[in-house]
Amino acid sequence: MSREENVKEVVTRVTAKVERIKWTIQEVSQLLENSTFAGPEIYYEKTCMGHISFGKVSNNILIKLHNKSNKTIRMIKSKVVLLDCDGKKLREEENEFHTLERKQNVSLMIKNQRGVLNSLKDDKLIIDCCLKFGIEVVMKSLRLRDDAEYQKENGKKVLKDLMKMYNNPDGSDFTFQVGNDFIYAHKTVLSFRSEYFRRMLATQMKEGIHNSVLITDVSYSTMKNLVEWIYTGNFNTTNTDGNFQEIWNLYVAADKYQIMDLKSMCADKLKSSATVDNLVEILKLAARHNDDHLKISALIAISFDLATIVELNTWKTLQSNDANLANEVLNFHFKNN
């Protein structure tokens, strides 16, 4: 699935452009008060133009930047230096601006003219103006799907493709035989998803040599669900929803073949299906398969209903066959109540 949706223009980066202007104004003393004079033009983009201006307004020197275009100018910094004809610095001012909207202007310098313009050598004033603009670099770019949306859609496609491989004899190189039924698989997938299968297929065990294994202790439906989980992280729930024994069998198979994420999922389903009638059996299952998380959950649930459970045959059988585990239940109960 392609992430491309359409093409649009996007600002990919902002770069800086520096413009340096030197403007010599002759016969400064003859300039009229409260008047403004347009100076050199600036093209900071092909379609965006501006100019600076100089004025004597109310005894002040006023230097402005004018945006003559229909685009917003991104100004970063300005530096204006006033010099006499010998290059002697008379005044200096720096400013920073964010934007200059179209057809607008901004003051770069406002200084009292007394002592600046009255004694200029040769009646000349040099304006040295350095402007640093922000230029948006616009490029045509593919508009992509949102990452989360793309990953979700692509994940569905991957699962769909893996489902095509699952139990498909075409291209398979390994077979599970359960009674008279067969489940087709791929060694690479089995090895990456199960440490048990990785060891079996990496050594000279007969199953790896003959590319098949005979399953005698797991039912066909349970083994089929287990292999489907290996490929897709899911399985057909038609025969497992509400089927405590099928989830139990799948838990045992997942532990044997070291598919730990499936084992954990089955443990969660067993906990959600727990009743006072099966809690002792779940506890025994957890202890037998060294599942501490499931065992703690069973201990907590048994402790909560201990008065009822100790009257059941399952509890009496536990006391007879596994006194240590029964004592662990009692110790847990009295310690936490």
Side-chain angles (χ1 to χ4, degrees):
M1 178 179 294
S2 173
R3 294 186 66 191
E4 301 176 10
E5 287 195 346
N6 57 14
V7 177
K8 67 173 185 177
E9 288 190 347
V10 295
V11 177
T12 58
R13 61 190 174 94
V14 177
T15 188
K17 179 180 180 182
V18 178
E19 286 284 344
R20 182 81 176 272
I21 301 169
K22 273 196 172 184
W23 179 20
T24 300
I25 301 174
Q26 309 278 356
E27 299 179 343
V28 176
S29 62
Q30 303 301 314
L31 299 178
L32 297 176
E33 290 289 335
N34 300 320
S35 57
T36 302
F37 306 93
E41 292 185 336
I42 305 164
Y43 287 85
Y44 91 104
E45 284 187 43
K46 290 181 179 179
T47 60
C48 193
M49 180 182 70
H51 74 272
I52 63 172
S53 67
F54 170 81
K56 294 165 64 178
V57 181
S58 301
N59 294 320
N60 288 312
I61 298 171
L62 185 59
I63 299 173
K64 290 185 176 184
L65 172 66
H66 300 257
N67 183 358
K68 297 171 61 178
S69 72
N70 290 318
K71 295 181 64 176
T72 298
I73 297 176
R74 293 170 58 105
M75 283 194 56
I76 299 175
K77 183 178 290 187
S78 69
K79 181 179 180 180
V80 178
V81 180
L82 301 183
L83 307 166
D84 65 14
C85 62
D86 291 330
K88 179 182 177 181
K89 185 188 296 184
L90 305 174
R91 292 287 188 274
E92 179 178 325
E93 185 169 331
E94 294 187 25
N95 287 290
E96 291 188 12
F97 308 92
H98 294 294
T99 58
L100 179 56
E101 300 298 331
R102 58 185 183 176
K103 307 300 183 181
Q104 299 297 311
N105 62 75
V106 64
S107 296
L108 305 180
M109 174 179 278
I110 304 176
K111 290 294 183 183
N112 190 291
Q113 63 176 300
R114 291 182 185 141
V116 176
L117 303 183
N118 296 338
S119 58
L120 284 173
K121 184 178 180 181
D122 296 335
D123 205 18
K124 292 181 181 179
L125 177 69
I126 299 173
I127 300 174
D128 188 352
C129 185
C130 183
L131 301 172
K132 189 175 183 180
F133 299 103
I135 306 297
E136 294 179 345
V137 179
V138 180
M139 298 181 65
K140 292 188 181 297
S141 174
L142 293 176
R143 179 180 178 272
L144 303 180
R145 291 173 178 262
D146 176 78
D147 282 344
E149 177 189 356
Y150 170 71
Q151 290 173 8
K152 182 179 179 180
E153 293 298 323
N154 199 49
K156 290 180 180 179
K157 184 177 184 299
V158 171
L159 287 178
K160 188 175 180 180
D161 290 341
L162 285 172
M163 278 299 297
K164 294 177 183 178
M165 296 173 61
Y166 159 67
N167 201 20
N168 186 343
D170 293 339
S172 69
D173 56 7
F174 193 81
T175 304
F176 294 95
Q177 182 178 354
V178 188
N180 295 323
D181 295 307
F182 297 90
I183 303 170
Y184 301 97
H186 303 79
K187 290 182 179 180
T188 301
V189 177
L190 297 175
S191 297
F192 274 102
R193 293 282 281 139
S194 164
E195 181 63 21
Y196 179 96
F197 291 129
R198 189 192 68 78
R199 289 198 304 269
M200 181 182 76
L201 297 172
T203 61
Q204 294 301 309
M205 294 176 66
K206 64 179 182 179
E207 292 85 357
I209 296 173
H210 296 294
N211 299 325
S212 65
V213 60
L214 177 64
I215 305 296
T216 59
D217 56 349
V218 178
S219 70
Y220 174 73
S221 63
T222 298
M223 199 66 199
K224 193 167 181 288
N225 281 331
L226 181 141
V227 176
E228 183 177 350
W229 178 276
I230 287 176
Y231 277 81
T232 67
N234 208 339
F235 57 85
N236 187 352
T237 59
T238 302
N239 297 323
T240 58
D241 282 350
N243 190 331
F244 182 82
Q245 189 59 51
E246 182 60 29
I247 293 298
W248 179 291
N249 294 340
L250 193 54
Y251 174 92
V252 174
D255 184 60
K256 174 181 178 179
Y257 294 113
Q258 296 179 268
I259 306 170
M260 308 317 293
D261 52 350
L262 176 58
K263 179 182 176 183
S264 178
M265 188 280 297
C266 290
D268 289 340
K269 283 187 173 290
L270 289 173
K271 285 186 283 186
S272 64
S273 303
T275 66
V276 291
D277 295 318
N278 61 29
L279 273 171
V280 171
E281 296 303 321
I282 292 175
L283 175 67
K284 290 162 59 178
L285 178 73
R288 187 160 58 248
H289 292 277
N290 299 312
D291 190 336
D292 291 336
H293 292 293
L294 181 58
K295 184 178 179 181
I296 288 295
S297 296
L299 286 171
I300 293 172
I302 292 172
S303 178
F304 184 78
D305 282 313
L306 186 62
T308 301
I309 290 173
V310 294
E311 299 297 327
L312 302 176
N313 289 331
T314 53
W315 173 258
K316 295 172 182 176
T317 302
L318 177 67
Q319 286 183 306
S320 300
N321 297 338
D322 195 340
N324 289 335
L325 186 56
N327 288 333
E328 187 175 348
V329 172
L330 296 175
N331 290 335
F332 180 89
H333 175 77
F334 291 118
K335 181 179 178 180
N336 293 280
N337 290 277

